[in-house]
């Protein structure tokens, strides 16, 4: 089934300090992870065409909680605390990392991981650790090289090809694309990948409705 989703309908659900404060572990969740200056919030806002959905700041590290956004019932996007860069007290940074690790290891409905990194400085140690963990957990990964508008077309393509080559060493299901929140580069590709990951849940819901004798609910993709 080629199910289309209207990402403009995405809405904020909750912020939680850890998984114990998140809603029930059901449906499908796709998590966005990256260094604190990678542009996660800006990417989520661009993907959903909502300037204020995810809070952005000129100060890296403002995402201090696990933030959940619902695309459609049973299909959620997760904005995880940033790692690596944030200029915050060490104890607070450790608290973020505990919440991040716990979510990644224990959240059963996590079905895909988007790892964002600045196209000018890709594959830092923590980025590689995140991808290796996902591959070892048999979780598909979409690597987004953000701020792609900062490079000219030739350099952008060169960096994309190099990072794709480097990603082969991880094995597993790792896809690499460039992305720009400012220019909209890569938006369609990311939405397509998210929809691919959400499709099993959408199919499950439609099968359940069919068994109950109810007409399937189709998404409105016109607006």
């Amino acid at each position: 089934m080629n199910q289309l989703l209207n990402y403009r309908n995405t809405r904020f659900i909750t912020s939680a300090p850890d998984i114990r404060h998140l809603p029930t572990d059901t449906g499908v969740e796709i998590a966005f992870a990256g260094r604190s200056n990678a542009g996660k919030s800006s990417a989520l806002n661009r993907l959903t065409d909502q300037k204020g959905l995810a809070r952005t700041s000129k100060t890296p590290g403002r995402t201090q909680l696990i933030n959940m956004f619902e695309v459609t019932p049973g299909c959620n996007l997760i904005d995880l605390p940033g790692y690596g860069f944030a200029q915050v007290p060490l104890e607070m940074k450790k608290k973020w990392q505990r919440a991040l690790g716990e979510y990644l290891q224990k959240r059963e409905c996590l079905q895909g991981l988007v790892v964002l990194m600045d196209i000018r400085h890709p594959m830092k140690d923590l980025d590689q650790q995140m991808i290796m963990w996902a591959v070892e957990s048999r979780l598909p990964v979409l690597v987004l090289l953000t701020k792609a508008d900062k490079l000219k077309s030739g350099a952008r393509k060169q960096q994309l090809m190099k990072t794709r080559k480097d990603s082969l060493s991880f094995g597993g299901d790792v896809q690499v694309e460039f992305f720009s929140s400012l220019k909209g580069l890569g938006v369609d590709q990311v939405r397509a990948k998210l929809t691919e990951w959400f499709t099993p849940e959408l199919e499950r819901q439609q099968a359940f409705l069919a068994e109950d004798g109810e007409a399937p609910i189709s998404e409105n993709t016109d607006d």
Side-chain angles (χ1 to χ4, degrees), residues 30-47:
I30 298 171
F32 282 62
R35 296 175 65 84
S36 298
N37 58 341
K40 288 189 292 90
S41 298
S42 296
L44 282 164
N45 288 342
R46 184 69 193 220
L47 288 168

Side-chain angles (χ1 to χ4, degrees), residues 12-41:
F12 172 77
I13 297 296
T14 191
S15 292
D18 52 55
I19 60 174
R20 286 170 292 280
H21 292 84
L22 288 173
T24 307
D25 193 353
T26 58
V28 168
E29 292 178 1
I30 298 171
F32 282 62
R35 296 175 65 84
S36 298
N37 58 341
K40 288 189 292 90
S41 298

Side-chain angles (χ1 to χ4, degrees), residues 7 9 18 37 39 45 52 59 88 91 108 112 128 130 139 149 151 158 181-184 187-188 199 212 218 220 223:
Y7 288 91
N9 290 337
D18 52 55
N37 58 341
N45 288 342
T59 303
V88 296
E91 188 56 40
E108 294 291 336
Q128 294 188 49
M130 183 68 68
L139 196 67
D149 55 280
L151 298 181
Q158 185 178 15
S181 299
L182 183 63
K183 300 294 186 180
V187 169
D188 290 342
T199 292
D212 275 7
S218 60
N220 176 12
D223 297 330

Side-chain angles (χ1 to χ4, degrees), residues 125-137:
D125 287 346
L126 291 174
D127 299 324
Q128 294 188 49
Q129 289 176 30
M130 183 68 68
I131 296 170
M132 284 190 289
W133 171 85
V135 169
E136 289 171 358
S137 301

Side-chain angles (χ1 to χ4, degrees), residues 19 30 46 110 169 179 190 216:
I19 60 174
I30 298 171
R46 184 69 193 220
L110 176 62
S169 63
F179 187 87
V190 178

Side-chain angles (χ1 to χ4, degrees), residues 88-204:
V88 296
L90 180 60
E91 188 56 40
M92 182 178 292
K93 188 176 293 188
K94 288 181 178 179
K95 183 178 180 180
W96 294 357
Q97 299 313 309
R98 284 195 297 269
L100 175 66
E102 187 178 47
Y103 172 84
L104 292 170
Q105 293 169 18
K106 297 182 179 180
R107 193 70 173 172
E108 294 291 336
C109 58
L110 176 62
Q111 297 297 316
L113 182 66
V114 182
V115 180
L116 298 91
M117 52 189 80
D118 190 320
I119 193 170
R120 299 165 296 180
H121 313 289
M123 292 296 180
K124 298 287 189 179
D125 287 346
L126 291 174
D127 299 324
Q128 294 188 49
Q129 289 176 30
M130 183 68 68
I131 296 170
M132 284 190 289
W133 171 85
V135 169
E136 289 171 358
S137 301
R138 297 185 179 180
L139 196 67
V141 178
L142 174 61
V143 173
L144 286 190
L145 301 178
T146 62
K147 307 179 184 180
D149 55 280
K150 300 291 186 182
L151 298 181
K152 292 183 179 180
S153 178
R156 187 162 61 226
K157 291 178 181 178
Q158 185 178 15
Q159 190 70 296
L160 174 66
M161 298 308 295
K162 180 181 183 302
T163 307
R164 283 178 173 172
K165 182 178 179 181
D166 292 343
S167 71
L168 294 176
S169 63
F170 296 108
D173 184 355
V174 182
Q175 179 178 335
V176 183
E177 303 289 347
F178 57 68
F179 187 87
S180 169
S181 299
L182 183 63
K183 300 294 186 180
L185 300 172
V187 169
D188 290 342
Q189 290 91 331
V190 178
R191 286 177 178 165
K193 176 56 69 172
L194 297 179
T195 299
E196 177 187 321
W197 287 342
F198 282 137
T199 292
E201 171 62 17
L202 297 170
E203 290 179 335
R204 186 197 66 78

